[in-house]
Short mmCIF file of all heavy atoms in Angstrom, two decimals:
data_model
loop_
_atom_site.label_atom_id
_atom_site.label_comp_id
_atom_site.label_asym_id
_atom_site.label_seq_id
_atom_site.Cartn_x
_atom_site.Cartn_y
_atom_site.Cartn_z
N ASP A 238 112.43 92.43 90.15
CA ASP A 238 113.01 93.68 89.70
C ASP A 238 114.47 93.43 89.35
O ASP A 238 115.23 92.89 90.16
CB ASP A 238 112.87 94.71 90.81
CG ASP A 238 113.35 96.10 90.42
OD1 ASP A 238 114.36 96.21 89.73
OD2 ASP A 238 112.68 97.06 90.83
N ALA A 239 114.88 93.85 88.20
CA ALA A 239 116.25 93.63 87.72
C ALA A 239 117.28 94.41 88.50
O ALA A 239 118.45 94.05 88.53
CB ALA A 239 116.34 93.97 86.24
N THR A 240 116.88 95.50 89.15
CA THR A 240 117.84 96.31 89.91
C THR A 240 117.94 95.90 91.36
O THR A 240 118.80 96.39 92.07
CB THR A 240 117.45 97.80 89.83
OG1 THR A 240 116.16 97.97 90.41
CG2 THR A 240 117.47 98.30 88.40
N ALA A 241 117.06 95.02 91.79
CA ALA A 241 117.09 94.57 93.19
C ALA A 241 118.32 93.69 93.41
O ALA A 241 118.67 92.87 92.58
CB ALA A 241 115.82 93.81 93.54
N GLY A 242 118.95 93.88 94.54
CA GLY A 242 120.14 93.10 94.85
C GLY A 242 119.88 92.17 96.02
O GLY A 242 118.90 92.30 96.75
N VAL A 243 120.75 91.24 96.17
CA VAL A 243 120.70 90.33 97.30
C VAL A 243 121.87 90.69 98.20
O VAL A 243 123.01 90.74 97.75
CB VAL A 243 120.80 88.87 96.84
CG1 VAL A 243 120.84 87.93 98.03
CG2 VAL A 243 119.65 88.52 95.91
N TYR A 244 121.58 90.96 99.44
CA TYR A 244 122.61 91.38 100.39
C TYR A 244 122.67 90.40 101.54
O TYR A 244 121.67 89.83 101.95
CB TYR A 244 122.32 92.77 100.92
CG TYR A 244 122.26 93.82 99.84
CD1 TYR A 244 121.05 94.20 99.29
CD2 TYR A 244 123.42 94.40 99.37
CE1 TYR A 244 120.99 95.15 98.29
CE2 TYR A 244 123.38 95.35 98.37
CZ TYR A 244 122.16 95.73 97.84
OH TYR A 244 122.11 96.67 96.86
N SER A 245 123.83 90.24 102.10
CA SER A 245 124.00 89.44 103.29
C SER A 245 125.06 90.10 104.16
O SER A 245 125.90 90.84 103.68
CB SER A 245 124.38 88.00 102.96
OG SER A 245 125.64 87.96 102.33
N ALA A 246 124.97 89.81 105.42
CA ALA A 246 125.94 90.34 106.37
C ALA A 246 126.57 89.15 107.09
O ALA A 246 125.87 88.24 107.53
CB ALA A 246 125.27 91.27 107.36
N ILE A 247 127.87 89.18 107.20
CA ILE A 247 128.57 88.11 107.90
C ILE A 247 129.65 88.73 108.77
O ILE A 247 129.99 89.90 108.62
CB ILE A 247 129.20 87.09 106.92
CG1 ILE A 247 130.18 87.80 105.97
CG2 ILE A 247 128.15 86.35 106.15
CD1 ILE A 247 130.97 86.85 105.09
N GLY A 248 130.15 87.96 109.67
CA GLY A 248 131.27 88.42 110.48
C GLY A 248 130.91 88.53 111.95
O GLY A 248 129.81 88.20 112.40
N ASP A 249 131.89 89.00 112.70
CA ASP A 249 131.79 89.09 114.15
C ASP A 249 130.64 89.98 114.61
O ASP A 249 129.87 89.61 115.49
CB ASP A 249 133.12 89.59 114.71
CG ASP A 249 133.20 89.48 116.21
OD1 ASP A 249 132.90 88.39 116.74
OD2 ASP A 249 133.56 90.48 116.86
N THR A 250 130.48 91.13 113.99
CA THR A 250 129.43 92.07 114.39
C THR A 250 128.05 91.46 114.18
O THR A 250 127.17 91.58 115.04
CB THR A 250 129.56 93.39 113.60
OG1 THR A 250 130.86 93.93 113.84
CG2 THR A 250 128.51 94.39 114.01
N THR A 251 127.86 90.79 113.07
CA THR A 251 126.57 90.16 112.78
C THR A 251 126.30 89.02 113.77
O THR A 251 125.18 88.85 114.24
CB THR A 251 126.55 89.63 111.34
OG1 THR A 251 126.82 90.71 110.46
CG2 THR A 251 125.22 89.01 111.00
N ASN A 252 127.31 88.26 114.09
CA ASN A 252 127.18 87.16 115.05
C ASN A 252 126.76 87.70 116.42
O ASN A 252 125.85 87.18 117.06
CB ASN A 252 128.49 86.39 115.14
CG ASN A 252 128.43 85.23 116.10
OD1 ASN A 252 127.39 84.59 116.25
ND2 ASN A 252 129.54 84.94 116.75
N ILE A 253 127.41 88.76 116.86
CA ILE A 253 127.07 89.36 118.16
C ILE A 253 125.64 89.90 118.14
O ILE A 253 124.88 89.70 119.08
CB ILE A 253 128.08 90.46 118.53
CG1 ILE A 253 129.44 89.82 118.85
CG2 ILE A 253 127.59 91.28 119.72
CD1 ILE A 253 130.55 90.81 119.03
N ALA A 254 125.27 90.58 117.06
CA ALA A 254 123.92 91.13 116.96
C ALA A 254 122.87 90.03 117.02
O ALA A 254 121.83 90.19 117.70
CB ALA A 254 123.77 91.92 115.66
N ALA A 255 123.10 88.93 116.37
CA ALA A 255 122.14 87.82 116.40
C ALA A 255 122.02 87.25 117.81
O ALA A 255 120.90 86.95 118.27
CB ALA A 255 122.58 86.73 115.43
N ARG A 256 123.11 87.12 118.49
CA ARG A 256 123.07 86.59 119.87
C ARG A 256 122.36 87.56 120.82
O ARG A 256 121.60 87.15 121.69
CB ARG A 256 124.47 86.27 120.36
CG ARG A 256 125.07 85.09 119.64
CD ARG A 256 126.53 84.92 120.04
NE ARG A 256 127.16 83.88 119.27
CZ ARG A 256 127.45 82.67 119.75
NH1 ARG A 256 127.14 82.36 120.99
NH2 ARG A 256 128.05 81.78 118.99
N LEU A 257 122.61 88.85 120.64
CA LEU A 257 121.94 89.85 121.49
C LEU A 257 120.44 89.88 121.23
O LEU A 257 119.65 90.08 122.15
CB LEU A 257 122.55 91.24 121.27
CG LEU A 257 123.96 91.45 121.80
CD1 LEU A 257 124.46 92.84 121.44
CD2 LEU A 257 124.01 91.23 123.31
N GLN A 258 120.04 89.66 119.98
CA GLN A 258 118.62 89.65 119.65
C GLN A 258 117.91 88.51 120.38
O GLN A 258 116.85 88.71 120.97
CB GLN A 258 118.44 89.49 118.14
CG GLN A 258 116.99 89.50 117.70
CD GLN A 258 116.85 89.34 116.20
OE1 GLN A 258 117.79 88.99 115.50
NE2 GLN A 258 115.67 89.58 115.71
N VAL A 259 118.49 87.33 120.38
CA VAL A 259 117.91 86.19 121.09
C VAL A 259 117.92 86.44 122.59
O VAL A 259 116.93 86.21 123.30
CB VAL A 259 118.68 84.89 120.75
CG1 VAL A 259 118.23 83.75 121.64
CG2 VAL A 259 118.48 84.54 119.29
N MET A 260 119.04 86.97 123.09
CA MET A 260 119.18 87.22 124.53
C MET A 260 118.19 88.28 125.00
O MET A 260 117.70 88.21 126.13
CB MET A 260 120.60 87.65 124.83
CG MET A 260 120.94 87.72 126.27
SD MET A 260 122.68 88.17 126.47
CE MET A 260 122.77 88.19 128.24
N ALA A 261 117.86 89.26 124.17
CA ALA A 261 116.92 90.33 124.54
C ALA A 261 115.56 89.74 124.88
O ALA A 261 114.92 90.14 125.85
CB ALA A 261 116.80 91.35 123.43
N ARG A 262 115.11 88.80 124.07
CA ARG A 262 113.82 88.14 124.35
C ARG A 262 113.85 87.42 125.69
O ARG A 262 112.90 87.49 126.46
CB ARG A 262 113.50 87.15 123.24
CG ARG A 262 113.09 87.81 121.95
CD ARG A 262 112.64 86.76 120.93
NE ARG A 262 113.18 87.15 119.65
CZ ARG A 262 113.95 86.40 118.88
NH1 ARG A 262 114.26 85.19 119.25
NH2 ARG A 262 114.41 86.84 117.74
N GLU A 263 114.95 86.74 125.96
CA GLU A 263 115.07 85.97 127.19
C GLU A 263 115.24 86.87 128.41
O GLU A 263 114.77 86.55 129.49
CB GLU A 263 116.25 85.01 127.09
CG GLU A 263 116.10 83.96 126.01
CD GLU A 263 117.38 83.20 125.74
OE1 GLU A 263 118.43 83.52 126.33
OE2 GLU A 263 117.33 82.26 124.93
N ALA A 264 115.92 88.01 128.24
CA ALA A 264 116.23 88.90 129.37
C ALA A 264 115.11 89.87 129.67
O ALA A 264 115.12 90.54 130.69
CB ALA A 264 117.51 89.67 129.08
N GLY A 265 114.13 89.99 128.78
CA GLY A 265 113.02 90.90 129.01
C GLY A 265 113.33 92.36 128.75
O GLY A 265 112.67 93.24 129.28
N HIS A 266 114.34 92.62 127.96
CA HIS A 266 114.70 94.00 127.57
C HIS A 266 114.36 94.18 126.10
O HIS A 266 114.65 93.30 125.29
CB HIS A 266 116.19 94.26 127.78
CG HIS A 266 116.58 94.36 129.21
ND1 HIS A 266 116.51 95.54 129.92
CD2 HIS A 266 117.04 93.43 130.08
CE1 HIS A 266 116.92 95.32 131.17
NE2 HIS A 266 117.24 94.05 131.28
N PRO A 267 113.78 95.33 125.72
CA PRO A 267 113.47 95.53 124.31
C PRO A 267 114.71 95.69 123.44
O PRO A 267 114.72 95.31 122.28
CB PRO A 267 112.63 96.81 124.29
CG PRO A 267 112.94 97.50 125.57
CD PRO A 267 113.33 96.44 126.55
N ILE A 268 115.79 96.22 124.03
CA ILE A 268 117.03 96.43 123.28
C ILE A 268 118.22 96.07 124.17
O ILE A 268 118.26 96.48 125.33
CB ILE A 268 117.16 97.91 122.83
CG1 ILE A 268 115.99 98.31 121.94
CG2 ILE A 268 118.49 98.14 122.13
CD1 ILE A 268 115.94 99.78 121.62
N LEU A 269 119.15 95.34 123.61
CA LEU A 269 120.41 95.06 124.30
C LEU A 269 121.55 95.63 123.48
O LEU A 269 121.53 95.63 122.25
CB LEU A 269 120.62 93.55 124.48
CG LEU A 269 119.69 92.85 125.46
CD1 LEU A 269 120.02 91.37 125.51
CD2 LEU A 269 119.78 93.45 126.85
N LEU A 270 122.56 96.12 124.19
CA LEU A 270 123.75 96.68 123.55
C LEU A 270 124.98 95.93 124.04
O LEU A 270 125.06 95.53 125.19
CB LEU A 270 123.94 98.15 123.94
CG LEU A 270 122.78 99.10 123.76
CD1 LEU A 270 123.11 100.45 124.37
CD2 LEU A 270 122.45 99.23 122.29
N GLY A 271 125.94 95.80 123.15
CA GLY A 271 127.23 95.27 123.55
C GLY A 271 128.05 96.38 124.19
O GLY A 271 127.72 97.57 124.11
N ASP A 272 129.14 95.99 124.80
CA ASP A 272 130.00 96.95 125.50
C ASP A 272 130.60 97.99 124.56
O ASP A 272 130.75 99.16 124.93
CB ASP A 272 131.10 96.21 126.26
CG ASP A 272 131.54 96.95 127.50
OD1 ASP A 272 130.71 97.67 128.09
OD2 ASP A 272 132.71 96.81 127.88
N ALA A 273 130.94 97.60 123.32
CA ALA A 273 131.53 98.55 122.38
C ALA A 273 130.55 99.69 122.07
O ALA A 273 130.95 100.86 122.00
CB ALA A 273 131.93 97.83 121.10
N THR A 274 129.29 99.37 121.91
CA THR A 274 128.29 100.40 121.65
C THR A 274 128.08 101.26 122.90
O THR A 274 128.01 102.49 122.82
CB THR A 274 126.95 99.77 121.23
OG1 THR A 274 127.17 98.97 120.08
CG2 THR A 274 125.90 100.82 120.93
N HIS A 275 128.03 100.63 124.05
CA HIS A 275 127.86 101.34 125.32
C HIS A 275 128.96 102.37 125.52
O HIS A 275 128.72 103.50 125.93
CB HIS A 275 127.82 100.35 126.47
CG HIS A 275 127.71 100.98 127.81
ND1 HIS A 275 128.81 101.21 128.60
CD2 HIS A 275 126.64 101.45 128.50
CE1 HIS A 275 128.42 101.78 129.72
NE2 HIS A 275 127.11 101.94 129.69
N GLU A 276 130.19 102.00 125.19
CA GLU A 276 131.34 102.91 125.37
C GLU A 276 131.26 104.12 124.44
O GLU A 276 131.82 105.17 124.75
CB GLU A 276 132.64 102.16 125.12
CG GLU A 276 132.95 101.15 126.21
CD GLU A 276 134.16 100.29 125.88
OE1 GLU A 276 134.76 100.47 124.80
OE2 GLU A 276 134.48 99.43 126.69
N ARG A 277 130.58 104.01 123.32
CA ARG A 277 130.49 105.10 122.36
C ARG A 277 129.34 106.07 122.63
O ARG A 277 129.26 107.12 122.00
CB ARG A 277 130.36 104.54 120.95
CG ARG A 277 131.63 103.92 120.45
CD ARG A 277 131.44 103.28 119.08
NE ARG A 277 132.68 102.79 118.52
CZ ARG A 277 133.24 101.62 118.81
NH1 ARG A 277 132.66 100.81 119.68
NH2 ARG A 277 134.37 101.24 118.25
N LEU A 278 128.47 105.73 123.56
CA LEU A 278 127.33 106.60 123.87
C LEU A 278 127.79 107.83 124.64
O LEU A 278 128.63 107.73 125.53
CB LEU A 278 126.29 105.84 124.69
CG LEU A 278 125.60 104.68 123.99
CD1 LEU A 278 124.69 103.97 124.98
CD2 LEU A 278 124.83 105.15 122.79
N THR A 279 127.23 108.98 124.29
CA THR A 279 127.58 110.20 125.01
C THR A 279 126.80 110.34 126.31
O THR A 279 127.23 111.05 127.21
CB THR A 279 127.33 111.43 124.12
OG1 THR A 279 125.96 111.42 123.71
CG2 THR A 279 128.23 111.43 122.91
N ALA A 280 125.64 109.70 126.40
CA ALA A 280 124.83 109.76 127.61
C ALA A 280 124.25 108.38 127.91
O ALA A 280 123.10 108.10 127.61
CB ALA A 280 123.71 110.78 127.44
N PRO A 281 125.05 107.48 128.49
CA PRO A 281 124.58 106.10 128.73
C PRO A 281 123.68 105.94 129.96
O PRO A 281 123.43 104.84 130.40
CB PRO A 281 125.88 105.32 128.89
CG PRO A 281 126.84 106.31 129.47
CD PRO A 281 126.45 107.64 128.84
N ASP A 282 123.18 107.06 130.50
CA ASP A 282 122.30 106.98 131.66
C ASP A 282 121.06 106.17 131.31
O ASP A 282 120.55 106.22 130.19
CB ASP A 282 121.88 108.38 132.10
CG ASP A 282 123.07 109.26 132.46
OD1 ASP A 282 124.11 108.70 132.84
OD2 ASP A 282 122.96 110.49 132.32
N GLY A 283 120.56 105.43 132.26
CA GLY A 283 119.35 104.66 132.04
C GLY A 283 119.60 103.25 131.53
O GLY A 283 118.66 102.48 131.39
N LEU A 284 120.84 102.91 131.25
CA LEU A 284 121.15 101.54 130.82
C LEU A 284 121.48 100.69 132.04
O LEU A 284 122.05 101.17 133.01
CB LEU A 284 122.32 101.54 129.84
CG LEU A 284 122.11 102.27 128.53
CD1 LEU A 284 123.36 102.16 127.67
CD2 LEU A 284 120.92 101.73 127.79
N THR A 285 121.15 99.43 131.94
CA THR A 285 121.39 98.49 133.02
C THR A 285 122.33 97.40 132.54
O THR A 285 122.12 96.83 131.48
CB THR A 285 120.06 97.83 133.47
OG1 THR A 285 119.14 98.84 133.80
CG2 THR A 285 120.28 96.91 134.64
N ARG A 286 123.35 97.13 133.33
CA ARG A 286 124.23 96.00 132.99
C ARG A 286 123.45 94.72 133.23
O ARG A 286 123.02 94.44 134.34
CB ARG A 286 125.50 96.04 133.83
CG ARG A 286 126.49 95.00 133.44
CD ARG A 286 127.76 95.13 134.24
NE ARG A 286 128.60 93.98 133.99
CZ ARG A 286 129.91 94.01 134.01
NH1 ARG A 286 130.53 95.14 134.30
NH2 ARG A 286 130.61 92.94 133.77
N VAL A 287 123.27 93.95 132.16
CA VAL A 287 122.42 92.77 132.22
C VAL A 287 123.20 91.51 132.54
O VAL A 287 122.84 90.74 133.42
CB VAL A 287 121.65 92.58 130.89
CG1 VAL A 287 120.86 91.29 130.88
CG2 VAL A 287 120.75 93.78 130.63
N ASP A 288 124.30 91.30 131.80
CA ASP A 288 125.01 90.03 131.93
C ASP A 288 126.34 90.11 131.20
O ASP A 288 126.64 91.11 130.56
CB ASP A 288 124.16 88.91 131.33
CG ASP A 288 124.49 87.52 131.85
OD1 ASP A 288 125.50 87.39 132.59
OD2 ASP A 288 123.75 86.58 131.53
N GLU A 289 127.09 89.04 131.30
CA GLU A 289 128.28 88.85 130.47
C GLU A 289 128.04 87.62 129.62
O GLU A 289 127.59 86.60 130.13
CB GLU A 289 129.52 88.68 131.34
CG GLU A 289 129.92 89.94 132.07
CD GLU A 289 131.23 89.79 132.82
OE1 GLU A 289 131.86 88.70 132.76
OE2 GLU A 289 131.64 90.76 133.47
N LEU A 290 128.31 87.73 128.35
CA LEU A 290 128.03 86.66 127.41
C LEU A 290 129.35 86.08 126.91
O LEU A 290 130.16 86.79 126.31
CB LEU A 290 127.23 87.24 126.23
CG LEU A 290 126.78 86.31 125.13
CD1 LEU A 290 125.87 85.22 125.69
CD2 LEU A 290 126.04 87.09 124.06
N ALA A 291 129.57 84.80 127.19
CA ALA A 291 130.78 84.13 126.72
C ALA A 291 130.57 83.72 125.27
O ALA A 291 129.60 83.05 124.94
CB ALA A 291 131.06 82.90 127.57
N LEU A 292 131.44 84.19 124.39
CA LEU A 292 131.33 83.87 122.97
C LEU A 292 132.52 83.04 122.54
O LEU A 292 133.66 83.32 122.92
CB LEU A 292 131.29 85.16 122.14
CG LEU A 292 130.11 86.09 122.40
CD1 LEU A 292 130.26 87.36 121.59
CD2 LEU A 292 128.81 85.39 122.04
N ARG A 293 132.23 82.03 121.74
CA ARG A 293 133.28 81.17 121.22
C ARG A 293 134.25 82.01 120.37
O ARG A 293 133.83 82.87 119.60
CB ARG A 293 132.66 80.07 120.37
CG ARG A 293 133.64 79.04 119.89
CD ARG A 293 132.97 77.98 119.12
NE ARG A 293 132.09 78.58 118.12
CZ ARG A 293 131.36 77.90 117.27
NH1 ARG A 293 131.38 76.61 117.30
NH2 ARG A 293 130.59 78.52 116.41
N GLY A 294 135.53 81.78 120.57
CA GLY A 294 136.54 82.50 119.81
C GLY A 294 136.98 83.81 120.42
O GLY A 294 137.82 84.51 119.89
N ARG A 295 136.39 84.17 121.56
CA ARG A 295 136.78 85.40 122.25
C ARG A 295 137.37 85.05 123.60
O ARG A 295 136.85 84.20 124.31
CB ARG A 295 135.56 86.32 122.47
CG ARG A 295 135.05 86.91 121.20
CD ARG A 295 133.86 87.81 121.53
NE ARG A 295 133.63 88.68 120.40
CZ ARG A 295 133.88 89.99 120.41
NH1 ARG A 295 134.31 90.57 121.48
NH2 ARG A 295 133.66 90.70 119.35
N SER A 296 138.43 85.75 123.95
CA SER A 296 139.08 85.45 125.22
C SER A 296 138.33 86.06 126.40
O SER A 296 138.37 85.54 127.51
CB SER A 296 140.52 85.96 125.20
OG SER A 296 140.55 87.35 124.94
N ALA A 297 137.66 87.19 126.18
CA ALA A 297 136.93 87.86 127.26
C ALA A 297 135.43 87.84 126.95
O ALA A 297 135.03 87.91 125.79
CB ALA A 297 137.40 89.29 127.40
N PRO A 298 134.61 87.74 127.99
CA PRO A 298 133.16 87.78 127.75
C PRO A 298 132.70 89.16 127.28
O PRO A 298 133.34 90.18 127.55
CB PRO A 298 132.56 87.42 129.10
CG PRO A 298 133.61 87.77 130.09
CD PRO A 298 134.93 87.61 129.40
N LEU A 299 131.58 89.20 126.60
CA LEU A 299 130.97 90.43 126.13
C LEU A 299 130.03 90.95 127.22
O LEU A 299 129.14 90.24 127.67
CB LEU A 299 130.16 90.18 124.85
CG LEU A 299 129.35 91.32 124.30
CD1 LEU A 299 130.26 92.40 123.72
CD2 LEU A 299 128.37 90.84 123.25
N VAL A 300 130.26 92.17 127.67
CA VAL A 300 129.37 92.79 128.65
C VAL A 300 128.13 93.28 127.90
O VAL A 300 128.24 93.94 126.88
CB VAL A 300 130.06 93.96 129.39
CG1 VAL A 300 129.11 94.61 130.36
CG2 VAL A 300 131.30 93.45 130.11
N VAL A 301 126.95 92.94 128.43
CA VAL A 301 125.69 93.25 127.77
C VAL A 301 124.91 94.26 128.60
O VAL A 301 124.78 94.11 129.82
CB VAL A 301 124.85 91.96 127.59
CG1 VAL A 301 123.53 92.27 126.94
CG2 VAL A 301 125.62 90.94 126.78
N TRP A 302 124.40 95.30 127.91
CA TRP A 302 123.63 96.37 128.55
C TRP A 302 122.21 96.38 128.01
O TRP A 302 121.99 96.19 126.83
CB TRP A 302 124.30 97.71 128.25
CG TRP A 302 125.69 97.81 128.78
CD1 TRP A 302 126.84 97.39 128.16
CD2 TRP A 302 126.09 98.29 130.05
NE1 TRP A 302 127.92 97.61 128.97
CE2 TRP A 302 127.48 98.17 130.14
CE3 TRP A 302 125.39 98.84 131.13
CZ2 TRP A 302 128.20 98.56 131.26
CZ3 TRP A 302 126.12 99.23 132.24
CH2 TRP A 302 127.51 99.10 132.30
N GLY A 303 121.24 96.61 128.89
CA GLY A 303 119.84 96.67 128.49
C GLY A 303 119.27 98.07 128.58
O GLY A 303 119.67 98.86 129.43
N VAL A 304 118.37 98.36 127.66
CA VAL A 304 117.68 99.65 127.62
C VAL A 304 116.37 99.51 128.38
O VAL A 304 115.67 98.54 128.22
CB VAL A 304 117.40 100.09 126.17
CG1 VAL A 304 116.58 101.36 126.13
CG2 VAL A 304 118.70 100.27 125.44
#
């Protein structure tokens, strides 16, 4: 299709999402959230703090929450 485009996503957010996707399989949670998303939720009840993920290039680990 001539109107179809090719899209890609790059950057810190995409890197974190990819790591959380792999970690979700290993942790046994269907969905994992980073701390930034957790902080924006109006009702974070029912989430469990799963782990802290050390990421290259970041001074502080990423707190990971499971649904």
Side-chain angles (χ1 to χ4, degrees):
D238 185 321
T240 61
V243 176
Y244 300 96
S245 64
I247 58 173
D249 190 49
T250 302
T251 303
N252 181 33
I253 291 171
R256 291 173 186 255
L257 289 177
Q258 182 180 12
V259 171
M260 190 177 179
R262 287 186 221 124
E263 296 169 355
H266 289 273
I268 300 172
L269 290 180
L270 308 172
D272 210 30
T274 303
H275 177 263
E276 290 173 0
R277 288 176 174 82
L278 295 175
T279 56
D282 302 334
L284 297 180
T285 305
R286 186 176 170 148
V287 175
D288 203 352
E289 291 186 1
L290 182 61
L292 298 175
R293 186 178 48 180
R295 290 181 162 251
S296 58
L299 174 71
V300 178
V301 178
W302 299 85
V304 175

